[in-house]
Amino acid sequence: MKRLLSSRPAASLALLPAALILLPQAALAHPGHGAATGAEAGFLHPLLGADHVFAMVAVGLLASLRGGRALWALPLSFLALMSVGAGLGLAGVVLPHVEIAIALSIVVFGLAAVVGLRAPVALLAALVGVFAVFHGYAHGAEMPETASGLSFGLGFLAATALLHAAGIGVGVAASRIGATRAAPALGAGLAAAGLALLALPA
């Protein structure tokens, strides 16, 4: 009975990300073309795109599961390379298959959490950094014309850091309460959400 009860929250966590993409305006509904400008628009941009939210929380979750230097190395790598991607988007550089890469990042990060990937921290940092370029590109390419690039960038960096912290918090909390299945279950849900996004029509 105790085992059954402990498995139910984990199963619920696995279903949560996939359920969220069924909500109206989910998946690829990025802001950036309305009245909000500057830091406000930058801060909202990751938060109002389910694909960005899932990926950034997954980075934090993966960092918490890997532990040690990964707790700061993975989020910092993502933030740094995301800034590079944003610069490419602002410069008008053409980067192919951006939305596919963003959705694929959720699958990869989620599966890494499921299997408890014990790869070297440098390799994990490089992995999240590569995908971060595509997330940053989407931010830069969709920046409102009236926004300041600096304030917009600071806004989405702040939101991204908060999402990473949320993922780390989930992983740490699961570890402290002994819910060892919770984090991998959430990773599985994130991977499923990523696959669902990949299946959406362009």
Side-chain angles (χ1 to χ4, degrees), residues 79-151:
L79 290 168
L81 272 296
M82 185 176 66
S83 299
V84 172
L88 295 176
L90 287 171
V93 176
V94 177
L95 192 63
H97 310 303
V98 174
E99 297 296 349
I100 292 176
I102 289 174
L104 185 60
S105 72
I106 307 170
V107 178
V108 173
F109 300 157
L111 289 178
V114 171
V115 302
L117 191 60
R118 303 298 296 178
V121 173
L123 180 59
L124 290 177
L127 177 68
V128 301
V130 167
F131 284 111
V133 172
F134 292 92
H135 285 269
Y137 182 90
H139 294 325
E142 296 172 7
M143 185 185 78
E145 294 182 1
T146 57
S148 159
L150 177 59
S151 61

Side-chain angles (χ1 to χ4, degrees), residues 62-63 65-75 77 117-129:
L62 182 57
L65 294 176
R66 183 63 176 84
R69 293 188 300 115
L71 286 171
W72 56 265
L74 269 60
S77 175
L117 191 60
R118 303 298 296 178
V121 173
L123 180 59
L124 290 177
L127 177 68
V128 301

Side-chain angles (χ1 to χ4, degrees), residues 3-194:
R3 182 177 181 181
L4 178 61
L5 291 175
S6 64
S7 65
R8 286 178 178 175
S12 299
L13 283 174
L15 294 174
L16 180 60
L20 287 176
I21 67 172
L22 299 178
L23 294 174
Q25 300 179 356
L28 307 178
H30 298 150
H33 306 289
T37 58
E40 180 188 358
F43 188 82
L44 290 175
H45 197 269
L47 299 179
L48 297 183
D51 46 2
H52 293 307
V53 172
F54 290 157
M56 293 164 186
V57 169
V59 169
L61 181 66
L62 182 57
S64 72
L65 294 176
R66 183 63 176 84
R69 293 188 300 115
L71 286 171
W72 56 265
L74 269 60
L76 284 182
S77 175
F78 193 97
L79 290 168
L81 272 296
M82 185 176 66
S83 299
V84 172
L88 295 176
L90 287 171
V93 176
V94 177
L95 192 63
H97 310 303
V98 174
E99 297 296 349
I100 292 176
I102 289 174
L104 185 60
S105 72
I106 307 170
V107 178
V108 173
F109 300 157
L111 289 178
V114 171
V115 302
L117 191 60
R118 303 298 296 178
V121 173
L123 180 59
L124 290 177
L127 177 68
V128 301
V130 167
F131 284 111
V133 172
F134 292 92
H135 285 269
Y137 182 90
H139 294 325
E142 296 172 7
M143 185 185 78
E145 294 182 1
T146 57
S148 159
L150 177 59
S151 61
F152 184 82
L154 291 175
F156 71 68
L157 286 173
T160 298
L162 286 175
L163 292 170
H164 288 335
I168 291 173
V170 169
V172 170
S175 175
R176 288 185 176 178
I177 66 175
T180 55
R181 296 182 181 180
L186 183 55
L190 289 167

